[in-house]
Amino acid sequence: MSTETQNLTLVQAVRDGLRTEMQRDEDVIVLGEDVGKNGGVFRATEGLYEEFGDDRVIDTPLAESGIVGTSIGMAAYGLRPVPEIQFMGFIYPAFDQIVSHAARLRTRTRGRFTCPMVIRAPYGGGIRAPEHHSESKEAFFVHEPGLKVVIPSTPADTKGLLASAIRDPDPVIFLEPKLIYRAFREDVPTGDHTVPLGEAAVRREGSDVSVYTWGAMTRPTMEAADNLAAEGVDCEVIDLRTLSPLDRETIVDSFEKTGRAAVVHEAPRTGGLGGEITAILQEEALLYQEAPIERITGFDTPVPLYALEDYYLPSPTRIEDGIREVVDFP
Amino acid sequence: MSVFDRDPDDQIQVLDADGELVGDLPDLSDSELVALYRHMRLARHFDERAVNLQRQGRMGTYPPLAGQEAAQVGSAMALDDGDWIAPSYREHAAVHVHGLSLSDILLYWMGHGAGGWDTDANVLPAAVPIATQIPHTTGLALASKLRGEDSESPRQTGNAGDAVACAYFGDGATSEGDFHEGLNMAGVFDVPAVFVCNNNGWAISVPRERQTASPTLAGKAAAYGIDGVQVDGMDPLATYAVTRAAVEKARTPGDRSRPTLIEAVQYRFGAHTTADDPTVYRDEAEVEAWRRRDPIPRLERFLRETGRLDDDRIDDIEASIRTQVTEAIDRAEDTPRPNPDRMFADVYAEQSAELRAQQAYLHRLRDRHGDDAFLKE
């Protein structure tokens, strides 16, 4: 692995990851709406069209189901398509293709045909976007066997996880936290760089409470942890990075150390991953539990238009309050 | 005149309903013509036996095809071995012609996952949601085009980059978004694809007139800038000829768009599935009228009158297909219930820890209670 690095934003890391994988493997094909000449509405594919040409970076008609369905056919044929859905809120027309076909092609053909593809989509709120541009519906896909679901929170992880997702033999839903596409920079290894799927990262070690989060919520959670540290509360922050399969070992190990837990996600509460993580802790570490597990989440409402979205998204203040509930119990 | 230079309602026919040659005989040898007949007879007999198996409780719900033999066999025989089929759930004859065994087809409807995946045939699994296989076909064809003829064969295809992908779907599928999205992209990307619509006039109980106000389904091709052709779907020689022309055009880039939408006008004699009762919505007189266009006696008459078939050969064919279908049923029924471990295999290339744990849990339960505790029968 290279020791050289580049200082990149998260969205630049997406591009660097795509570019590196396209150079490594000529079967990797990027396709979607505006990904070619325009370089993507978020510039995630900028320069790829010029470098790889219109056989490898394909501007498609505006048709989410068609983009994903076509990618399934390409993957079955032996290519490694990386379709982009412009915003997660537009993924629903492709939902049938993803869950009925991409997720099941391997099972249904006993491994004769597989579906190695990565569906990229920017997800989440906080950028003052119009309706249907702010969704965080990772739970839909986590619920579907046959898929993997990945959400990075740092530029280096973004490149490394994206490379692993593209090399993975199974379909991966790769959700990019667009709120932090350009929020900060980080040194990212140049050239070949992978981060394994299925492994959570401990972003902050602590002894009082385990706080589980991912994607765009990692930063407000870290901010809350810093603020609580000043009050003498020592948070351990776990960035799950891969939501399917979940890294149960890291989740449980941390809880066995702290005995207390909170989950932070911006997705709606009901049926969200917070419930799944709580269930894992109940099943595997009940006797370590010293307080009810707190969920700090979006509300069970459609993501509001931006005049209200700051109330909807978990803020450092809300996260701090939730964590205090856990550490102050009983 | 090319088959593509016609109006969408100018239906192509080679044999009329009485088996008289009314068009150009396609380039098929005598033995290929007899093979076409044999495949249709086989499909008809297979279908009758499959419906009976379901009635006897030996098989689950089954979608019959009788009436569609010409469209399925004629079109599938026009494909080369390396070409792809993306079927709906009713193309038992087409996928068999393309290499899936009859017993594997039966096993799928008997609830086994096996369904043909030990073969090398380039056939995607049955698409049960409607029209979803159409974008897959566009993707297969796009991949074929991108690969190019000189590229290395990918492991899972066994063929290089000049394969044609062929989708099969019903008239109801033309109402779905995936039909539009798939054909639109096929036209935009000019991919080697053939889209065969088995228009039997009904989407379960809803007639074609309630699917679309378009005068023909073939005419929809104009919206995507590709060729649309209507063919007599109960004329096996016409469906062969049209599909063959579409396959050759797909494989050879030129002035015309490579994809083709073929509307095969036909009638399915039986129910939508064995769970359906068409007498509720369909007039028996309509069925009888279409039976006069039955593709099998039609081709038989032609082959007899041109000296390619006689009673003896027909008896031989009849005997051999009966044996073949009986053997396929025996093989399927003798196949033991899959091991429950099968459920956990091939969900991912590498099994997750959680899935391993769930599999181990089922093992423990089976050890504790025995398999009889789980099985209803």
Side-chain angles (χ1 to χ4, degrees):
Chain A
M1 189 184 289
S2 167
T3 51
E4 281 177 43
T5 61
Q6 281 175 286
N7 202 242
L8 300 179
T9 63
L10 196 147
V11 71
Q12 288 171 334
V14 171
R15 177 168 66 235
D16 192 38
L18 289 171
R19 183 167 174 264
T20 307
E21 290 307 299
M22 291 180 80
Q23 286 172 339
R24 190 186 60 80
D25 180 355
E26 67 167 16
D27 284 339
V28 178
I29 309 269
V30 167
L31 70 161
E33 297 156 19
D34 308 302
V35 299
K37 278 191 177 164
N38 188 41
V41 292
F42 287 104
R43 300 283 170 269
T45 54
E46 196 166 45
L48 300 180
Y49 178 86
E50 289 74 13
E51 181 171 353
F52 298 101
D54 59 3
D55 277 356
R56 305 271 314 272
V57 185
I58 303 173
D59 274 323
T60 66
L62 205 166
E64 286 79 10
S65 186
I67 292 165
V68 172
T70 299
S71 298
I72 291 169
M74 294 167 79
Y77 200 97
L79 300 179
R80 291 202 170 235
V82 186
E84 176 182 297
I85 299 295
Q86 213 156 60
F87 289 89
M88 192 183 199
F90 303 147
I91 210 166
Y92 312 120
F95 194 73
D96 183 25
Q97 287 290 352
I98 296 169
V99 301
S100 299
H101 294 290
R104 303 161 68 136
L105 190 61
R106 174 185 294 279
T107 310
R108 300 185 71 216
T109 65
R110 294 196 165 184
R112 175 156 140 71
F113 300 131
T114 62
C115 199
M117 64 193 280
V118 181
I119 301 171
R120 292 180 43 244
Y123 89 98
I127 63 158
R128 305 291 183 253
E131 212 179 350
H132 301 295
H133 287 64
S134 303
E135 276 68 9
S136 177
K137 294 296 174 64
E138 60 272 23
F140 288 165
F141 300 105
V142 172
H143 193 60
E144 185 60 37
L147 300 177
K148 295 180 180 177
V149 180
V150 175
I151 306 187
S153 73
T154 71
D157 271 6
T158 296
K159 178 177 177 181
L161 290 166
L162 182 57
S164 296
I166 290 170
R167 296 179 200 185
D168 195 273
D170 290 308
V172 178
I173 310 291
F174 192 86
L175 301 176
E176 297 163 8
K178 60 180 177 290
L179 175 64
I180 55 171
Y181 258 160
R182 295 182 172 82
F184 62 103
R185 287 173 179 274
E186 182 182 64
D187 285 341
V188 176
T190 53
D192 206 59
H193 168 58
T194 58
V195 172
L197 305 187
E199 290 184 14
V202 180
R203 294 291 175 207
R204 187 184 198 288
E205 292 200 23
S207 55
D208 291 336
V209 55
S210 304
V211 187
Y212 304 98
T213 192
W214 54 90
M217 289 295 105
T218 307
R219 283 168 63 82
T221 301
M222 290 294 281
E223 191 181 327
D226 286 344
N227 294 340
L228 287 166
E231 299 172 15
V233 176
D234 192 17
C235 297
E236 178 148 300
V237 177
I238 312 281
D239 173 4
L240 294 176
R241 300 197 290 195
T242 299
L243 300 183
S244 176
L246 277 170
D247 182 353
R248 295 168 75 101
E249 196 179 333
T250 301
I251 291 169
V252 172
D253 284 353
S254 177
F255 189 67
E256 288 182 355
K257 185 169 76 173
T258 64
R260 293 167 194 265
V263 186
V264 183
H265 62 64
E266 64 176 283
R269 168 171 304 219
T270 302
L273 263 288
E276 186 62 35
I277 292 159
T278 304
I280 289 171
L281 298 178
Q282 295 287 303
E283 285 167 357
E284 299 195 19
L286 179 66
L287 297 181
Y288 293 86
Q289 186 172 349
E290 292 175 15
I293 297 165
E294 189 76 12
R295 288 181 287 167
I296 303 138
T297 70
F299 300 110
D300 290 343
T301 69
V303 188
L305 293 176
Y306 68 78
L308 291 177
E309 87 180 324
D310 290 345
Y311 290 94
Y312 175 90
L313 294 170
S315 63
T317 304
R318 189 137 71 90
I319 297 167
E320 286 163 40
D321 268 11
I323 294 171
R324 277 196 208 97
E325 290 280 324
V326 180
V327 292
D328 289 349
F329 184 88
Chain B
M1 186 175 69
S2 157
V3 298
F4 306 112
D5 293 318
R6 304 167 76 107
D7 290 332
D9 60 350
D10 185 6
Q11 201 177 97
I12 294 176
Q13 208 175 43
V14 175
L15 288 180
D16 70 10
D18 298 320
E20 292 291 330
L21 199 62
V22 293
D24 295 333
L25 189 64
D27 186 20
L28 285 167
S29 68
D30 286 355
S31 65
E32 285 169 331
L33 285 167
V34 172
L36 177 54
Y37 173 76
R38 186 185 184 283
H39 274 306
M40 291 205 297
R41 289 284 301 253
L42 176 71
R44 177 69 55 90
H45 182 61
F46 173 85
D47 201 57
E48 289 163 355
R49 293 291 309 269
V51 171
N52 285 336
L53 288 174
Q54 192 280 330
R55 297 277 182 253
Q56 295 163 15
R58 293 156 69 188
M59 195 163 79
T61 302
Y62 167 81
L65 67 83
Q68 294 195 346
E69 293 88 350
Q72 291 198 25
V73 175
S75 59
M77 280 187 67
L79 300 173
D80 292 340
D81 285 348
D83 293 337
W84 284 74
I85 286 182
S88 81
Y89 43 77
R90 200 187 301 284
E91 276 77 38
H92 324 303
V95 300
H96 174 61
V97 169
H98 208 58
L100 258 59
S101 76
L102 295 179
S103 55
D104 278 341
I105 294 166
L106 288 169
L107 277 173
Y108 177 77
W109 297 105
M110 288 175 173
H112 294 241
W117 306 114
D118 298 332
T119 75
D120 294 330
N122 287 335
V123 177
L124 287 190
V128 178
I130 303 304
T132 50
Q133 72 276 28
I134 296 173
H136 302 167
T137 305
T138 300
L140 290 164
L142 177 57
S144 167
K145 182 182 171 185
L146 291 173
R147 282 267 183 182
E149 284 184 39
D150 51 356
S151 69
E152 222 172 277
S153 299
R155 179 192 66 80
Q156 27 193 26
T157 65
N159 59 267
D162 60 346
V164 171
C166 178
Y168 288 93
F169 48 93
D171 38 308
T174 65
S175 303
E176 292 272 11
D178 272 354
F179 169 81
H180 171 79
E181 297 188 24
L183 265 68
N184 187 54
M185 283 206 200
V188 167
F189 297 138
D190 194 30
V191 298
V194 180
F195 301 98
V196 178
C197 177
N198 284 314
N199 171 14
N200 77 301
W202 293 91
I204 306 189
S205 67
V206 178
R208 181 221 165 290
E209 293 72 32
R210 290 297 293 265
Q211 290 301 332
T212 178
S214 299
T216 68
L217 300 179
K220 288 178 184 282
Y224 317 111
I226 66 175
D227 289 313
V229 189
Q230 197 183 65
V231 62
D232 179 347
M234 299 176 92
D235 173 351
L237 299 184
T239 57
Y240 172 85
V242 167
T243 312
R244 189 67 211 167
V247 166
E248 280 166 8
K249 173 166 69 85
R251 225 187 292 285
T252 321
D255 299 339
R256 303 194 84 99
S257 66
R258 286 160 51 131
T260 304
L261 170 62
I262 298 172
E263 177 190 3
V265 179
Q266 61 199 266
Y267 202 79
R268 191 188 62 239
F269 300 141
H272 165 67
T273 68
T274 50
D276 170 47
D277 174 14
T279 62
V280 173
Y281 52 84
R282 212 168 68 171
D283 189 355
E284 191 54 30
E286 180 182 289
V287 185
E288 285 315 307
W290 279 94
R291 279 195 190 279
R292 289 198 290 277
R293 300 173 65 174
D294 191 330
I296 294 176
R298 188 171 179 171
L299 182 62
E300 185 175 313
R301 216 167 299 146
F302 169 75
L303 295 178
R304 277 178 184 277
E305 282 171 13
T306 56
R308 293 175 168 97
L309 267 185
D310 55 28
D311 285 345
D312 287 347
R313 292 203 67 186
I314 288 172
D315 288 347
D316 288 347
I317 288 170
E318 177 69 17
S320 76
I321 63 170
R322 281 178 178 274
T323 306
Q324 192 182 342
V325 172
T326 299
E327 282 173 1
I329 292 169
D330 289 348
R331 204 157 39 244
E333 292 197 313
D334 289 345
T335 303
R337 185 191 298 277
N339 188 302
D341 284 334
R342 196 62 249 169
M343 208 158 43
F344 300 93
D346 293 323
V347 181
Y348 297 95
E350 198 178 329
Q351 202 173 38
S352 69
E354 176 61 19
L355 208 50
R356 272 199 301 279
Q358 292 177 14
Q359 184 172 0
Y361 159 76
L362 182 57
H363 266 274
R364 288 196 300 277
L365 281 179
R366 291 170 64 207
D367 286 347
R368 190 180 309 154
H369 299 288
D371 279 338
D372 286 348
F374 293 88
L375 301 174
K376 282 184 181 168
E377 304 135 41

